[in-house]
Amino acid sequence: MKGDFPTLFERSRSGRRGTRPPSVGDVDLAAMLGADNMRSEPARLPELDELSVVRHYTNLSRRQVGVDTSFYPLGSCTMKYNPRASEAAAALFTELHPYQDPESVQGALQIIYELQEYLAEITGMDAVTLQPAAGAHGELTGMMLIRAYHESRGEGEQRRVVLVPDSAHGSNPASSMMAGFVVREIPSGADGEVDLNELRAALGPEVAAIMLTNPNTLGLFERKILELIDAAHQQGVQLYYDGANLNAIMGWARPGDMGFDVIHLNLHKTFSTPHGGGGPGSGPVGAKAHLAPFLPVPTVKREGERYLFDYDRPQTIGRMRSFYGNFGVMVRAYTYIRMLGAAGLKRSSALAVLNANYLRKKLKDAGYIIPHDRLCKHEFVAQPPAGLHALDVAKALLDYGYHPPTIYFPLIVKEALMIEPTETESQETLDEYVTVMAEIARRGQEDPDWISHTPYSTPVRRLDEVSANRHPRLRWKPEE
Amino acid sequence: MKGDFPTLFERSRSGRRGTRPPSVGDVDLAAMLGADNMRSEPARLPELDELSVVRHYTNLSRRQVGVDTSFYPLGSCTMKYNPRASEAAAALFTELHPYQDPESVQGALQIIYELQEYLAEITGMDAVTLQPAAGAHGELTGMMLIRAYHESRGEGEQRRVVLVPDSAHGSNPASSMMAGFVVREIPSGADGEVDLNELRAALGPEVAAIMLTNPNTLGLFERKILELIDAAHQQGVQLYYDGANLNAIMGWARPGDMGFDVIHLNLHKTFSTPHGGGGPGSGPVGAKAHLAPFLPVPTVKREGERYLFDYDRPQTIGRMRSFYGNFGVMVRAYTYIRMLGAAGLKRSSALAVLNANYLRKKLKDAGYIIPHDRLCKHEFVAQPPAGLHALDVAKALLDYGYHPPTIYFPLIVKEALMIEPTETESQETLDEYVTVMAEIARRGQEDPDWISHTPYSTPVRRLDEVSANRHPRLRWKPEE
Amino acid sequence: MDFTPHTPEEVQAMLAELGLSDLRQLFADLPQEILEPQLRLPEPLGEQEALSLLRSLAAKNASAEKSFLGGAVRPHFIPSVVPALMSRGEFLTAYTPYQPEVSQGVLQAIFEYQTMIAELTGLDVSNASLYDGASALAEGVLLALRQTRRMAVVVSQGVHPEYRQVLATYLHAVGAELRTIELAGGLTAPAEFDETVGAVVLQNPNFLGAIENPSSWIAAAHASGALVVYVTDPLSLALLKPPGAWGADVAVGDGQPLGNPMNFGGPQFGYIAVRDKLLRQLPGRLVSETRDVDGRRGYVLALAAREQHIRRAKAKSNITTNSQLSALMAAVYLAALGPQGLADVAAAAVAKAHALAAQLASLPGLELVTPRPFFNEFTLRLPAPAAVVRAQLAKRGLQAATPVPEEYGDNLALFSATERHSDDDLRSLLDGIKEVLA
Amino acid sequence: MDFTPHTPEEVQAMLAELGLSDLRQLFADLPQEILEPQLRLPEPLGEQEALSLLRSLAAKNASAEKSFLGGAVRPHFIPSVVPALMSRGEFLTAYTPYQPEVSQGVLQAIFEYQTMIAELTGLDVSNASLYDGASALAEGVLLALRQTRRMAVVVSQGVHPEYRQVLATYLHAVGAELRTIELAGGLTAPAEFDETVGAVVLQNPNFLGAIENPSSWIAAAHASGALVVYVTDPLSLALLKPPGAWGADVAVGDGQPLGNPMNFGGPQFGYIAVRDKLLRQLPGRLVSETRDVDGRRGYVLALAAREQHIRRAKAKSNITTNSQLSALMAAVYLAALGPQGLADVAAAAVAKAHALAAQLASLPGLELVTPRPFFNEFTLRLPAPAAVVRAQLAKRGLQAATPVPEEYGDNLALFSATERHSDDDLRSLLDGIKEVLA
Ligand SMILES: Cc1ncc(COP(=O)(O)O)c(C=O)c1O
Ligand SMILES: Cc1ncc(COP(=O)(O)O)c(C=O)c1O
């Protein structure tokens, strides 16, 4: 009895009204705005009563899964529980305007200041900006810092190359490009880690930076990290740390202590603010002292009992975003850090790693291939048993009520299933998941037709992506 | 792939913790409480982490429908849109203690006072108490007022009988009984209205009151209401108005003007506060001046600029509830009345009646039987076409995404489908519903096997109610 | 504004379908003499204006979130998951789950609630909720009278005075007799019950805060054939011996302390739990586990033959709408805390209350009236009327000193503390009281 | 506290499964010299303590809900349905909808959002959102440079100064040139563009609040082969001629005025809409309608070949996480208001702003600097530095007088009004300013 789910526009009826703003009485808009400046016809927004709006979005949400509904082991995304306490905290700070007199927002500035400090402490960096709006935005900021640093030393023209492992997230090369760099890929070794010799060979006076995430996207800790960074530093190369995987090592190791010069964090991953269906997030950037002069302005500083915006950074790269960043996300992360403290963060990382290793072991027993079968960190990459495709396993999982892992990433592993269970999932959830994965493997091998047509029980089934790309329909239009 | 949905208890793991209250450090509870008074073992509550709690209730809610998800034409229940503005309003008043100094809750008292006044105005009564917690509680209160009134006139012993039409809601006779009365049923006439001759015949010095709802539970306005009340009053009989159906006549007629002596309202119906899966509601009682001395205490009165609790009612029946009633529900109803005003209430009733009549006409065209096919008010009673059962039609509707009407009530119509669309549903919703009802009728007649096994697509299908009544399992117990 | 979707054209089209042209014609069957009264109500407001009005009314109240007031309602901390989950539209806007196939959410949640209340009270069966603690007491007593077919009730003065008032109102209506036994030294005095007594009621901890030893009352009641109705704060059951273990037959009380906001005294919910043998007398809704036609576990309303919509004038109660959502809030609260969390909340409340009592009782002119042991509330004798002290404290932003009715003595005030109070909060109260009494 | 479910026994059992006995062993592959730093962070707090801390921090801020501050963020009224719907866990806790079969909720909501933005701007395609207005401007300009293969950008000084700063940062990185054309009399001065210019940027209404006539700029830009990037407040499009109708190629701006709280400046969202011919250059996520194998309509992410996860260093942008939930809030807001409601909001803001301007400009020493016509914001010259006036007003509980950078003149302040302001609010501000300037 599933049919098409109508759009807002199809539910619209001419003249229908929802919520009504205060009436302004008789105003001569044309006189105030200039008749020539006015819109000739109203925007064709949907016309709905309030109940229709509520039903539409309520039912849309029932066609959607999230961490709140199901296990969501999406590798690289850290889909952990998003505490409702953090939502309650954020709601206390919604009615602040960014241009208020700073004396009237001392509480907000204190949060920014303290969060800068906490993140510096957690990562081992010297200075932090909270301005970037997401991880990739943080990457861009960080890479611009490196650019500015080299420029300040007269090496701006010369150092144009950024080395990025072939296992890197796509945003790393893309951010390097936007920061004006040329990207060179470094192959991973057979052990899944950066090949130190290849890297050494690639280093040179034209290299500005290396972007790494550690543990890397295979979930493996780069064991030669100290050596690697040392080699790079000797050549004047800066080290960028993609913090998307920080959930693996909080309280166990700090990128700063490894030698990284600049990092970004994803507050929406590691610090458990909700992903909101794709955002908003927050991508703070931490820098070592030598890069701090270039940070975007403003940051927040403390003078005695007062908190002030600090614009005093003459070498700044400039601004990356209007205002001060995604403050609402910062409040959530701040609340989270205050609740967990050092011990809670450390325990969270340990249990994230425990869950991943447990699942790795159990899935291997269940017939999945683990291409790099060693101690992993918060995630690992598996491959389906012979004859099965990652996509089909993912679609079959939907019928069992699970959100699938990340698939076909990292690119260096064929048929990759990148699995990150996070620390907020229980042993029995992992066990049930393994049972289902085993059943999918068995049934899929016995009955290829079955698996290639999964899912069966979702609101819609496999969708025609080819035609969506060939003939995209990117907005609703009335039937002609 | 639907399986059993685990209970909280099955999700529990010994030693698992959720949210943690502040620790009290070392306290010697046995010393403070007396060792003999202490519990010997902890209550076996479920032990869960916070994510499990969130997922459990989120997924439970996804196994539930409400006005927010679907058309819900449940007769007698007024399942109209519950404005989110009213929820926002109620959230402003949660942190008030009932025993606060009255000077510190003047805003709350003002709301109570003004709501008493508004409800008196809307119903045409002289005084209102907001103390009763629901409609049936209001009935009990109202019937006690009548009892006290007769007692005050020395007729308490004599007037023990309450007349209730056979179409009345079950709570009417039940409330009469709890108020110490004996109930006598009055048959309805062929036209679905109270038979005036039967009623006249039933009147006498032993009769304390008549309980009516008007429009009655068939959705029909009792056209002879003035005559009827007049006849009763001449015999010293009090008239009770069950306000469950007030949504039909707001701004069009007032029970007080019809001559009713006492009424209750259901704020969770007419005034659009949410039903919450069965409550809480609020059942204010309005009384004419001669009954006002008996109202429960306290009510709220105004003196100049101040609002005070009024305990000065020496003839009061006493208290019906702790404190002042369901204040949070009152705030919602108050907000609703302030948003709609007189014009909005009147228009709402008119459109509720329009929707009901439109649906009545259309369903008749679609083959349903309308036993009393005349102008109805906010609801009407239909019967399925020959050969079909109300229950089966209801269950089939579930597969089409609708909540069914009330079925097998009122008792005087066989196979009753009692349909109340409310004013917040649109013409196209009604049209689509009629299409589905027509299809169910056609398909059900063609294929009795199909309809008798509906629903097919719900989280569970028809449930074994017989065994649930024979061998009730009213609490979870671990498997033996 | 209103919430109707109808455009003027749609109204006309729908009227036309009925052969009508004007909404007024829909009311043609009403007596003309009473038609279309002019309602004098304030002008309609849009949402924005309505919410500003409500905000201005809210601003005329002082928050009691740190209040030391007691008497069945207290400011406990509510974890954020509780309102977040209960505000989901499916829970908020559903009716009573009469159609179980699409109401498993509410039904299972009730089933789990029933289980938790049974566990807390140490009794066999809980219903789905009643209005509040006071009406739950009245229902519990009526149940006992039905079961024993007796018409007298004995109640300890230790029961909340408003509860006793409600009980008196209900009992008067059915012609039952209510006898009250006064407290002696803050505790329920020993009593004997004759064979007219069908129900014996005590509260533990009692209204003054004292923990009672109910053994002898319960033994005496049972000896005379009466049933025992035991009123208790469900939070106390995290630590104290439950009614079932003491031998009570019926437990009732107010659920507010379990995850419900104070709401100026409502909504909250009444709970009731009984021994199995009383099941058929139990008022209100009950949910039972069962199976569907495919063998899947599911839940349905059960034993409806006790209820008004089936049994009408012979129903066990008239209750229809109850306090479902408030009860579900309690269930979420209990699930979020677990047994250890609940015990921690109770222990914190006890510890704070004892600390507060020690501090206050040490002030000159204040005397602790509640005998030890007490739980999280206690009564002090003040050198001035409690209402005056309360008003003076309120002027200082402190909400405390609930006046205790004169029947218990002069100038008595009830105090309570919860896990929500910090040591600073206690100190503020102490300083405030010193100032007020100076 | 933390949010892990593991009991000590479970941790041991899981470790044993791995042949380990201690969590430390999970980190054996890390260099020992950096292992287990002692993090100096405040002690952990339970939820109750954490929320009281946050409440005490919140109390150190003054609410700007009645603020007259402007500059891309304003206190509009948000209907209660918006937060109620957006707080549903499925919207809140989902990731980017990579698995469309279980993500139709978010996907369809984006599709509808894209449609609404296209309608408002009068352009063909909108993406799913960008971070904010400023970064949306930068992305829009980069898009134009890619399309035109040119490396110079001309921007009117009428564009929000922070937006221009962000633009400068982005352009510096890719080595593009940024030229600024100063305002003349509060309006963008006429200009001609040479053939190195790939993008021409103006804002309407401009930063000082004035409504521009962009025709000649747009004509000149197009004559020289440049694309026009048009910055505008989406609320203004309820009444004003949309960028598409003026001939602009790209429209960008900040979506906060549409149903998003001010959030101290974030989160909010950036929107971007372009003409069809620019589609393949558009950064960020896009949703397309399509069909499933059973022929049912559904929605999927489309044209991902533009994005970083496919195209890597050749992607159209690095954007990954965007501002989805904020954009969906805007969609719910627009759905709740409809075209007439949105026009009413805009008209109310215009009327209030014009009333306020008239009142303020009549005060001695205050001069209206923004030429008419203006929309809902305007600039005044004050007799004292705006930051000082703002601080003085803030002490009186009034949030107003955004300082306008010196590049626009001395002692300038931006004012705005919205439908949320009552006549009393306007009067309070007037009185406050009188006091401050007295
Ligand atoms: C490894 C890695 N780096 C960078 C990013 C980009 O972060 P964001 O999505 O917050 O922009 C992601 C997230 O998708 C990621 O997984
Ligand atoms: C006609 C009628 N009367 C009385 C009641 C009882 O009201 P409540 O459910 O609020 O107790 C109802 C509701 O069920 C009803 O429909």
Side-chain angles (χ1 to χ4, degrees), chain B residues 76 134-136 139 169 171-172 242 244 264 266 268-269, chain C residues 95 320-321:
Chain B
S76 201
E139 294 173 21
H169 191 259
S171 58
N172 291 183
D242 174 343
H264 84 262
N266 304 62
H268 45 299
K269 298 181 180 180
Chain C
Y95 194 70
T320 310
T321 290

Side-chain angles (χ1 to χ4, degrees), chain A residues 167-179:
Chain A
S167 64
H169 191 260
S171 58
N172 292 184
S175 299
S176 295
M177 173 270 292
M178 286 182 77

Side-chain angles (χ1 to χ4, degrees), chain B residues 4-8 10 17-19 21 24 32-33 37-39 44 46 56 60-61 63-65 67-68 72 74 77 79 82 93-97 99-100 104-108 110 118 121 136-137 147 151 168 170-171 174-175 177-180 223 226 248 252 254 258 268 274-280 317 319 321-323 326-328 338-340 346-347 355 357 361 374-375 377 395 423-425 459 461-464 468-469 473-476, chain C residues 1-6 14 17-18 26-27 29 33-36 39-40 42 44-45 57 60-62 64 70 73 88-95 99-106 108 111-112 114-115 119-120 125 131-132 160 162 165-166 169-170 172-174 211 237 239-241 262-267 287-294 297 299-300 302-303 308 312-313 315 318 321-322 324-325 336 338 340-341 344-345 348 373 390 402 420:
Chain B
D4 281 358
F5 188 92
T7 62
L8 281 174
E10 288 148 349
R17 297 289 304 267
T19 191
V24 276
M32 287 192 283
L33 303 178
N37 295 317
M38 307 263 308
R39 206 170 173 121
R44 283 171 303 173
H56 181 76
L60 274 186
S61 80
R63 295 163 70 84
Q64 177 68 43
V65 302
V67 176
D68 275 10
Y72 209 128
L74 195 67
C77 300
M79 301 300 284
N82 307 126
F93 296 89
T94 51
E95 295 277 33
L96 303 182
H97 192 286
Y99 290 141
Q100 268 178 266
S104 75
V105 285
Q106 284 294 306
Q110 185 177 341
Y118 300 160
E121 175 68 13
H137 204 212
R147 181 85 187 278
E151 277 172 0
S171 58
S175 298
M177 171 271 290
M178 284 181 78
R223 286 170 291 198
L226 302 184
W252 294 94
R254 310 196 300 176
M258 296 177 207
H268 45 299
H275 287 72
I317 56 165
R319 250 188 193 283
R321 187 199 186 285
S322 53
F323 319 122
N326 282 344
F327 179 72
R338 292 304 298 255
M339 287 194 287
L340 272 72
K346 189 174 177 189
R347 183 173 150 88
N355 276 0
N357 279 287
K361 167 80 165 43
R374 69 164 180 94
L375 194 58
K377 290 278 128 348
K395 296 302 177 196
E423 71 275 15
T424 59
E425 299 293 339
R461 297 182 53 215
R462 292 199 196 194
L463 289 146
D464 186 350
N469 281 303
R473 286 178 59 106
L474 304 172
R475 54 157 298 171
W476 185 83
Chain C
M1 73 178 290
D2 60 57
F3 295 93
T4 59
H6 306 67
M14 293 173 76
E17 187 75 35
L18 299 166
L26 294 167
F27 298 91
D29 53 351
E33 45 279 56
I34 60 164
L35 203 60
E36 295 194 64
L39 301 185
R40 285 156 308 163
L45 300 173
L57 288 167
K60 294 187 189 167
N61 306 311
V73 169
R88 285 181 62 88
E90 296 92 333
F91 288 131
L92 202 63
T93 69
Y95 194 70
Q99 294 290 338
E101 296 88 346
V102 291
S103 305
Q104 288 299 300
V106 168
Q108 180 167 337
F111 178 76
E112 293 169 348
Q114 289 173 178
T115 306
E119 277 297 338
L120 279 173
V125 215
Y131 304 135
D132 72 335
H160 193 303
E162 294 200 16
Q165 289 165 25
V166 172
T169 309
Y170 274 69
H172 172 79
V174 295
I211 300 177
L237 300 179
L239 299 177
L240 296 183
K241 197 191 278 198
M262 295 180 289
N263 285 332
F264 202 39
V287 171
S288 171
E289 186 189 308
T290 186
R291 296 266 151 199
D292 81 352
V293 290
D294 295 335
R297 181 168 61 179
Y299 304 88
V300 290
L303 305 178
Q308 51 71 26
R312 304 178 71 84
N318 65 338
T321 290
N322 57 21
Q324 205 58 69
L325 198 69
Q340 188 58 51
D344 289 350
V345 168
R390 179 182 64 173
T402 317
R420 211 165 161 182

Side-chain angles (χ1 to χ4, degrees), chain A residues 284-468:
Chain A
V285 166
K288 285 283 172 65
H290 64 287
L291 291 169
F294 309 105
L295 283 177
V297 284
T299 49
V300 172
K301 66 180 177 190
R302 177 179 177 151
E303 278 179 8
E305 293 291 293
R306 305 236 71 74
Y307 298 89
L308 312 171
F309 286 117
D310 184 2
Y311 285 91
D312 182 23
R313 202 171 270 124
Q315 290 183 279
T316 178
I317 56 165
R319 247 189 194 285
M320 290 303 295
R321 187 198 186 285
S322 53
F323 319 121
Y324 327 115
N326 281 344
F327 179 73
V329 181
M330 298 173 209
V331 176
R332 291 170 173 87
Y334 179 87
T335 307
Y336 183 75
I337 294 173
R338 294 301 303 250
M339 287 195 287
L340 272 71
L345 294 176
K346 189 173 176 188
R347 184 174 149 87
S348 293
S349 281
L351 294 179
V353 172
L354 178 63
N355 275 0
N357 278 288
Y358 181 80
L359 203 49
R360 175 178 58 83
K361 165 80 165 45
K362 290 276 188 171
L363 276 184
K364 190 181 173 200
D365 297 348
Y368 286 77
I369 301 156
I370 311 294
H372 301 283
D373 193 26
R374 69 166 180 92
L375 194 57
C376 66
K377 290 277 128 350
H378 64 306
E379 66 189 358
F380 63 97
V381 173
Q383 295 169 307
L388 295 185
H389 295 293
L391 180 72
D392 291 336
V393 171
K395 297 303 178 196
L397 275 167
L398 299 175
D399 278 332
Y400 291 89
Y402 292 100
H403 194 284
T406 297
I407 51 177
Y408 301 111
F409 181 78
L411 308 175
I412 55 169
V413 174
K414 285 214 180 96
E415 300 291 345
L417 295 161
M418 186 194 200
I419 306 179
E420 181 183 9
T422 87
E423 72 275 15
T424 58
E425 299 294 339
S426 64
Q427 186 184 10
E428 71 266 19
T429 297
L430 305 183
D431 288 342
E432 287 159 20
Y433 178 74
V434 169
T435 307
V436 164
M437 286 289 274
E439 180 170 330
I440 289 172
R442 181 190 55 72
R443 219 173 138 186
Q445 285 176 316
E446 279 167 27
D447 187 352
D449 195 56
W450 166 77
I451 198 167
S452 66
H453 290 92
T454 52
Y456 299 88
S457 61
T458 45
V460 295
R461 296 182 54 214
R462 289 197 198 195
L463 289 146
D464 186 349
E465 309 207 10
V466 174
S467 90

